[in-house]
């Protein structure tokens, strides 16, 4: 059935007779959605028809369009607000569930880069296995330490690099028996066999050293840890060297000296004018004694150190360990906690502790953690 266009417009303007209105109502009800006869005019007619039917069923007088919109808004806006609130709550809960599923790393995530730039994934070497690589071999001990065996007899220096990724810790026994633990995001460059008169390694990042004493003809052979910012001269001792940012060196046993000149080697005039004794810490250009020296090696034993550590520094360590970016409000950066937290915890557990101890809250969006300052009420 075809309906005249002018009749539809008169219907919309409520200028039809009762017979015409009944005809159009019957026509509208008979049409199915998607009919080729449906167009803008029909939609307008349907709206007008709906208005009249609602008014008739409720027994109310027609109201102006502005009032109709006001009534609709008074119903719709609360629905949208409550719907948006619950949708946001659902999404926030979902994000935190995703965050709670992120586990602490449980492998070394370290590689040895050989002299030919070939990489050996330490996690791929099983405990007790011996890996033969060219002129020498690598063995992985029961405690996870890597050690070189079957070293070549020639004196040609061969340098390797031990590199730990974010979320990794590795340990190695050097050719002289010295042991090194390498923290996350760090690199140690070393010879697989030391020179007879000197022992030198290069460090980027952080490492804990237990340097073996070594002598030739009654004279101790020095051990040097070199970095672009400082060189550490060692005879036989236990110390932690942190070169992530500004140098921080903590001495547990023995005696070490720190360089104070810009020269690269002793032959170029490198001198040592700062000496550390047990329990001394070099930090921010000064040497001070510590009553809790072991906290500087908490990381080696699987903990984050919190004592006298600003939250900004802790957040950096958490980023390096969990490999997750954290955006923090500047107002929280100088906050300080006490104690230590196990690095085996999930990152959400640590964030929960921070939000309890400090005026802070957190959220997780698009793979980024947001740590926010909360004003005290």
């Amino acid at each position: 059935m075809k309906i005249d266009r002018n009749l539809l417009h008169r219907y919309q303007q409520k200028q039809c007779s009762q017979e015409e209105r009944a005809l159009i109502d019957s026509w509208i009800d008979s049409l199915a959605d998607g009919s080729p006869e449906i167009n803008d005019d029909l939609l307008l007619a349907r709206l007008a028809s709906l208005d009249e039917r609602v008014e008739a069923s409720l027994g109310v007088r027609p109201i102006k369009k502005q009032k109709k919109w006001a009534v609709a808004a008074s119903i719709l806006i609360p629905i949208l607000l409550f719907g948006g609130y619950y949708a946001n709550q659902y999404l926030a809960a979902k994000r935190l569930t995703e965050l709670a599923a992120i586990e602490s790393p449980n492998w070394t995530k370290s590689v040895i880069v050989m002299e030919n730039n070939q990489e050996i994934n330490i996690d791929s070497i099983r405990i007790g296995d011996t890996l033969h690589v060219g002129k020498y071999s690598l063995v992985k001990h029961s405690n996870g330490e890597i050690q070189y065996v079957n070293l070549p007899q020639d004196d040609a220096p061969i340098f390797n690099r031990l590199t730990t990724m974010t979320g990794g810790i590795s340990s190695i026994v050097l050719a002289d028996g010295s042991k090194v633990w390498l923290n996350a995001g760090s690199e140690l460059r070393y010879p697989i066999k030391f020179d007879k008169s000197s022992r030198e390694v290069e460090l980027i990042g952080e490492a804990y050293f237990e340097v073996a004493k070594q002598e030739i003809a009654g004279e101790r052979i020095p051990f040097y840890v070199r970095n672009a910012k400082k060189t550490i001269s060692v005879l036989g001792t236990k110390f932690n060297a942190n070169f992530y940012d500004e140098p921080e060196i903590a001495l547990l046993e023995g005696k070490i000296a720190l360089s104070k000149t810009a020269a690269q080697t002793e032959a170029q005039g490198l001198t040592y004018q700062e000496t550390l004794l047990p329990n001394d810490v070099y930090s921010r250009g000064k040497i001070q004694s510590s009553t809790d020296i072991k906290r500087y090696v908490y990381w080696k034993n699987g903990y984050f150190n919190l004592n006298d550590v600003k939250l900004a520094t802790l957040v950096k360590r958490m980023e390096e360990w969990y490999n997750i970016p954290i955006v923090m409000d500047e107002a929280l950066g100088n906050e300080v906690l006490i104690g230590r937290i196990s690095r085996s915890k999930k990152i959400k557990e640590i964030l929960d502790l921070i939000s309890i101890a400090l005026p802070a809250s957190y959220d997780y969006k698009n793979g980024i953690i947001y740590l926010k300052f909360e004003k005290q009420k």
Side-chain angles (χ1 to χ4, degrees):
M1 177 174 63
K2 296 287 185 182
I3 296 294
D4 181 70
R5 185 183 184 91
N6 292 328
L7 180 58
L8 284 175
H9 280 289
R10 285 194 291 114
Y11 179 92
Q12 181 190 358
Q13 300 298 322
K14 300 180 182 179
Q15 297 173 354
C16 293
S17 65
Q18 288 185 352
E19 292 79 7
E20 289 173 330
R21 187 161 53 248
L23 176 65
I24 293 176
D25 285 344
S26 175
W27 172 68
I28 290 173
D29 291 338
S30 69
L31 287 174
D33 288 339
S35 166
E37 293 186 78
I38 293 179
N39 51 39
D40 291 342
D41 293 317
L42 173 59
L43 293 176
L44 290 172
R46 278 187 167 180
L47 287 174
S49 175
L50 182 61
D51 284 345
E52 288 187 357
R53 293 180 192 184
V54 170
E55 291 163 6
S57 65
L58 295 177
V60 297
R61 292 176 298 173
I63 56 178
K64 293 182 179 180
K65 286 186 178 180
Q66 291 87 341
K67 290 185 178 180
K68 290 181 183 178
W69 281 110
V71 172
S74 68
I75 298 172
L76 187 58
I77 289 175
I79 292 174
L80 291 175
L81 289 175
F82 279 106
Y85 170 78
Y86 285 112
N88 287 335
Q89 291 292 97
Y90 168 77
L91 291 174
K94 183 180 179 183
R95 292 195 300 267
L96 293 181
T97 300
E98 293 173 356
L99 182 63
I102 299 175
E103 300 280 352
S104 173
N106 58 359
W107 54 89
T108 65
K109 298 181 72 173
S110 305
V111 297
I112 290 177
V113 183
M114 300 170 59
E115 62 276 12
N116 59 1
N117 288 325
Q118 178 185 347
E119 293 186 357
I120 300 173
N121 186 340
I122 292 179
D123 291 312
S124 67
I125 306 175
R126 294 180 297 181
I127 297 295
D129 277 1
T130 299
L131 181 65
H132 302 285
V133 284
K135 297 181 179 180
Y136 50 89
S137 303
L138 297 172
V139 62
K140 191 173 188 178
H141 297 300
S142 58
N143 59 1
E145 287 180 344
I146 294 294
Q147 186 171 12
Y148 288 77
V149 294
N150 303 323
L151 297 177
Q153 297 302 313
D154 58 78
D155 293 329
I158 298 175
F159 287 89
N160 283 185
R161 300 195 313 273
L162 175 61
T163 302
T164 53
M165 314 301 177
T166 52
I169 287 182
S170 57
S171 56
I172 187 170
V173 181
L174 300 177
D176 65 341
S178 296
K179 296 182 179 182
V180 184
W181 285 259
L182 201 61
N183 204 352
S186 302
E187 179 178 287
L188 183 74
R189 183 177 182 268
Y190 54 92
I192 66 168
K193 189 170 71 171
F194 285 115
D195 183 84
K196 293 180 180 179
S197 60
S198 178
R199 301 174 289 172
E200 298 185 17
V201 298
E202 298 174 16
L203 173 65
I204 298 173
E206 183 173 20
Y208 171 72
F209 292 82
E210 292 185 355
V211 178
K213 294 180 180 179
Q214 197 171 52
E215 296 182 354
I216 289 184
E219 291 190 10
R220 290 187 178 181
I221 301 175
F223 187 104
Y224 298 105
V225 179
R226 301 196 187 279
N227 177 272
K229 299 173 182 177
K230 285 282 183 184
T231 292
I232 305 172
S233 175
V234 186
L235 292 176
T237 187
K238 298 179 181 179
F239 65 97
N240 192 77
N242 181 346
F243 290 115
Y244 281 129
D245 301 306
E246 287 302 310
E248 182 182 76
I249 297 143
L251 181 63
L252 282 74
E253 292 182 15
K255 183 178 178 181
I256 60 177
L258 305 181
S259 66
K260 208 165 185 177
T261 63
Q264 296 297 310
T265 66
E266 289 69 26
Q268 296 172 334
L270 185 65
T271 59
Y272 300 89
Q273 297 178 4
E274 295 172 306
T275 301
L276 272 67
L277 300 176
N279 299 319
D280 280 351
V281 177
Y282 175 88
S283 180
R284 301 184 182 93
K286 297 180 180 179
I287 298 175
Q288 294 181 327
S289 181
S290 172
T291 58
D292 184 20
I293 197 69
K294 290 184 178 179
R295 66 188 172 96
Y296 291 93
V297 292
Y298 276 163
W299 65 266
K300 169 182 168 287
N301 300 316
Y303 293 94
F304 289 110
N305 172 40
L306 305 183
N307 292 321
D308 296 329
V309 174
K310 293 181 179 180
L311 187 61
T313 301
L314 175 61
V315 163
K316 284 185 180 180
R317 302 293 89 86
M318 290 170 64
E319 287 180 314
E320 292 160 358
W321 184 246
Y322 294 98
N323 195 25
I324 297 177
I326 302 175
V327 177
M328 180 183 63
D329 286 352
E330 290 185 6
L332 289 170
N334 290 325
E335 295 285 346
V336 177
L337 300 170
I338 58 173
R340 63 183 186 179
I341 299 178
S342 172
R343 297 212 287 193
S344 65
K345 288 184 177 293
K346 295 181 179 181
I347 192 168
K348 185 180 182 301
E349 294 177 305
I350 297 179
L351 292 169
D352 287 338
L353 292 172
I354 292 174
S355 62
I356 292 172
L358 299 176
S361 64
Y362 65 90
D363 198 0
Y364 180 62
K365 295 180 182 179
N366 301 320
I368 301 174
I369 293 171
Y370 294 88
L371 197 54
K372 306 171 186 177
F373 175 75
E374 295 288 341
K375 291 183 179 180
Q376 298 285 3
K377 295 181 180 180

